[in-house]
Amino acid sequence: MKRQDYINWDTYFMGIAMLSAMRSKDPNTGVGACIVSSDNKILSLGYNGMPAGISDDEYPWEREGSFLDTKYPYVCHAELNALLNYTGSRLHGAKIYVTLFPCNECTKALIQSGIQEVIYGDDKYADNDSTRASKRMMDTVGIQYRKYQPAKKIIQLDL
C-alpha cells in the first residue's frame, strides 16, 4: 500500500463511528460514536440502542404514536452510550466523532465529561430546538464542533 492510500485520523475515527452505527437496530437513524484522546487513542465507542437488559426486539422503534409506544423514552443515544461505556477516570480534552450532531441531553453529558471537540457527520436536525440548544451550550463552554470533511470516500464494507 502506498503512503497516499492511508487515511487521516478524522476519516479513520469517523469510519469507526459509522461502523458502530451499524450495530443499531433503529430502522430510521442508526447513530455511532467514537471517543478519542488528544493523542488519537480510542477510549470508547457507542451506538443508539436500548439500555443493557432491555430487549431491542421487545421495545418499540416507532417514531410516532403514544409516547410510551415510541422509541424516545427508552433509547440511549450513541454519545451517551460511549460515555457510559468508558471505563477510565477522565475524558477531559478528548474529542468525539459522531455520525449525527448531538441532542441537547447528550450535549449536557459531553460537557460534564470534559469532551473538548465534536466532529459530526450529519446535522439533519440543525433547525430543531434541541440542536440549537446544543450549539448554544457548546459555544458557551468552548467546545469546538465541526462537520466531518472526508479526505477520502469511505466505502461500504460488505462484511
Side-chain angles (χ1 to χ4, degrees):
M1 182 181 279
K2 294 181 235 168
R3 181 66 189 153
Q4 66 268 21
D5 293 332
Y6 289 92
I7 57 176
N8 65 23
W9 288 120
D10 278 358
T11 301
Y12 178 62
F13 295 129
M14 186 57 78
I16 292 170
M18 293 168 70
L19 191 60
S20 296
M22 294 172 72
R23 286 282 310 142
S24 175
K25 290 189 179 179
D26 190 319
N28 298 297
T29 308
V31 181
C34 178
I35 299 176
V36 180
S37 68
S38 58
D39 60 346
N40 293 317
K41 303 286 188 278
I42 295 173
L43 301 174
S44 188
L45 302 171
Y47 58 89
N48 57 324
M50 298 295 168
I54 295 180
S55 172
D56 289 333
D57 299 320
E58 294 177 22
Y59 275 71
W61 286 102
E62 284 74 29
R63 296 169 64 157
E64 296 182 20
S66 170
F67 182 67
L68 294 177
D69 294 327
T70 67
K71 64 183 178 178
Y72 299 111
Y74 310 110
V75 170
C76 289
H77 288 180
E79 305 91 328
L80 183 59
N81 270 328
L83 291 171
L84 295 172
N85 288 337
Y86 179 61
T87 59
S89 60
R90 284 184 48 107
L91 288 172
H92 185 75
K95 55 190 169 184
I96 187 168
Y97 290 81
V98 63
T99 58
L100 182 64
F101 198 91
C103 73
N104 63 304
E105 294 298 321
C106 288
T107 295
K108 290 185 267 186
L110 294 172
I111 291 168
Q112 291 296 93
S113 72
I115 296 289
Q116 291 294 303
E117 185 176 12
V118 174
I119 302 94
Y120 62 93
D122 194 0
D123 195 6
K124 70 179 179 178
Y125 300 114
D127 294 331
N128 180 301
D129 284 342
S130 173
T131 302
R132 286 189 190 114
S134 294
K135 290 176 181 176
R136 181 178 180 186
M137 287 188 284
M138 287 185 203
D139 290 341
T140 297
V141 299
I143 291 178
Q144 300 295 309
Y145 54 91
R146 61 184 166 89
K147 181 161 179 51
Y148 166 68
Q149 300 297 327
K152 289 181 177 246
K153 181 179 175 155
I154 299 176
I155 58 170
Q156 178 77 26
L157 299 176
D158 294 324
L159 303 176

